[in-house]
Amino acid sequence: MKKLLLATAIAALSVSAANAAPTVYGKAFLSADYVNGEFDSNVNDAFDRDEDTVEINSYSSRIGLKGSEAMTANTDVVYQLEYGIRVDGEDRTFKSRDTYLGVVNKDFGEIRAGRNQSTLDYINNVIVNEGYWDNLGSNNLNSNQQLAGLNMSDSGRINNSIIWKAPQYNNLPLNLAVMYSSDANEDNGANDSDDGYGAALTFDQGTGYTLGLAYDKDQNVNGEIIRGTATVDLGKYMAYPVQLGALYQQADFDYSSEDEKGLVLSANMDLNNFARPANVYVQYNNTESLDGNENSDSDQIVVGGKYFFKDNVIMHAYAGLNKADNVSTQAAGIDDNGDDAMFDTIGDTEVFVLGTGLEYRF
């Protein structure tokens, strides 16, 4: 009888621990950026634009609530409510990021439903740029009044989506995630009536290198994206604290016969001669046929570094240059009746940015 009471008490304590209060978390990332940008129209010089300014910007700042609770001995319910915020006050609206409700079981894995980052992002471990140059995914200009660096299509958050993360099988160093989304995701331009789906597979046995492969259909773009990545940590094999990464991607759009091809190469080196952890990095991006437009290409090079005053207080510094040729966009002008109007134009862009910022995580 005493053993039974002891077992009951232990079980009660376990449930109480599982019912712990949700975790509140987030980060504030604010920077000062010197931006020098140009748009040179190939159609009409009146559509040219120059920008030379200092901006205060907020990057990926957020606040969230997450937690889990035991349902049975082997199954937990998991949840997350995360919202993007603008510390600079430019946009006072809370924007939904990853928000989901799901269950985790040691035998069948994890299932979560809601608004989820697409599985294309699960192999995005090659990207080292942060701040202004964390811009992978802007492959067209809505207007030449909004100059920005252009790169290949990228992963976004998908509404009305379900993700299944498979459990590991016999300790194999493979991680599989499969995603389904109903109807279209207008936030990312996939505004047709097709359901979307994607999958990602990663190989990581903890020996210093990783491989990744992902496929996406009618979620981030109207069409298909296939992405492959590889990383290697040279510090595992020699006395060089350097991590190298490579990403190759091809996007096949429903509305174009031209495939967008993108390449990213990155290197990150830890610095050991400081009182606190620090690193420097360089990243090169090249994209051909931006947004499926023939002869519309871009090149980008960024160098930067981070210094960790504390594990959760990080200083950033970076400088980068992006050049894009034959970009299709719209420019403001005056029509034949003397009224304001928007005109289609094609031109070349060049954006240089030098910035520094402070990030606080909690």
Side-chain angles (χ1 to χ4, degrees), residues 228-242:
T229 60
T231 66
V232 60
D233 184 354
L234 297 181
K236 296 284 187 178
Y237 306 101
M238 57 189 71
Y240 295 100
V242 176

Side-chain angles (χ1 to χ4, degrees), residues 14-56:
S14 299
V15 171
S16 298
N19 290 343
T23 299
V24 178
Y25 68 95
K27 79 171 183 178
F29 186 175
L30 200 64
S31 75
D33 300 317
Y34 167 71
V35 180
N36 182 276
E38 297 180 0
F39 178 85
D40 296 324
S41 174
N42 300 336
V43 178
N44 189 331
D45 290 345
F47 298 150
D48 291 353
R49 174 143 190 267
D50 293 329
E51 178 180 338
D52 190 16
T53 185
V54 175
E55 301 176 356
I56 303 298

